């Protein structure tokens, strides 16, 4: 079996767009060419991958979709790495940061992009970013659990305490320290761009708790702190970002920042 990456890209586009014609417009193909790509892929695998009306993946197609994303990212990563080996160094150093990963003394960047954590990892792998700084929750001295999209070089550059922000009248606000899992049934603010995302809290604690009482789609941390202090929900942040509101340190877990790069390329001072 030979799986053509061009056919895979077409398949991913059709499933994302939910339409052969919209996928054709996105890819710059004719609709007939898109249909031929899907038919060739189904013939190669010996099974139907898409329902046609409406357009949606079959169970086999859904399974292929789970594999296709990482496969295509790795192909892009390989192309980017080889290209950078033969090209002259760029005049511009592009660094991607996840929302809580700002480290001004780590890289000599002249172009900075703040992106979702997964996009920083993919951007470094695909070569759209020269370096990445990505953050997350980890046990002290343990590496972050990052998507396996390419053989990236990772260096831990910071580990800081994590604190939970409480309203002043909350019964736990005067605790010296607290275990994260003890707060799994509490009400939280879902603020993925200005606090530790709730999905990371579930992963770190091994529970399916940490339900959101409020969704905050913003990057203004002082505003988030005011909402937490007013009782709209709890929030978990690095200690250095919390000032003037009641906060209790978390046991065992830290906020970790890692520098990502393709092997052989570095912007670390």
């Amino acid at each position: 079996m030979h799986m053509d990456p061009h056919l895979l890209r077409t398949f991913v586009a059709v499933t994302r767009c939910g339409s052969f014609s919209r996928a054709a417009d996105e890819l710059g193909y004719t609709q007939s060419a898109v249909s031929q790509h899907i038919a060739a892929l189904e013939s190669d695998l010996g099974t139907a991958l898409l329902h046609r009306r409406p357009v949606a993946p079959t169970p086999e197609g859904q399974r292929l979709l789970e594999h296709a994303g990482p496969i295509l990212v790795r192909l892009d990563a390989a192309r980017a790495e080889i290209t950078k080996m033969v090209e002259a160094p760029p005049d511009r150093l592009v660094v991607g940061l996840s929302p809580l990963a700002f480290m001004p003394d780590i890289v000599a960047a002249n172009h900075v992009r703040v992106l979702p954590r997964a996009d920083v990892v993919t951007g470094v792998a695909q070569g759209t970013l020269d370096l990445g700084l990505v953050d997350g929750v980890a046990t002290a001295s343990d590496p972050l659990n990052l998507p396996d999209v390419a053989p990236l070089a990772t260096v831990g550059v910071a580990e800081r305490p994590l604190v939970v922000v409480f309203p002043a009248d909350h019964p736990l606000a005067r605790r010296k320290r607290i275990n994260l899992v003890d707060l799994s049934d509490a009400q939280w603010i879902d603020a993925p761009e200005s606090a530790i995302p709730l999905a990371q809290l579930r992963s770190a604690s091994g529970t399916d708790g940490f339900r959101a009482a409020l969704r905050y789609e913003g990057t203004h941390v002082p505003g988030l702190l005011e909402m937490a202090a007013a009782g709209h929900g709890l929030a978990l942040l690095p200690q250095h970002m919390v000032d003037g509101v009641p906060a209790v340190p978390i046991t065992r877990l830290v906020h970790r920042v890692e520098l990502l790069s393709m092997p052989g390329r570095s912007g670390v001072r």
Side-chain angles (χ1 to χ4, degrees), residues 9-10 12-14 16-17 20-29:
R9 291 187 192 280
T10 300
V12 170
V14 171
R16 182 177 63 252
C17 295
F20 280 65
S21 59
R22 286 197 293 271
D25 290 340
E26 179 180 295
L27 297 170
Y29 297 152

Side-chain angles (χ1 to χ4, degrees), residues 12 37 183:
V12 170
H37 283 191
L183 301 172

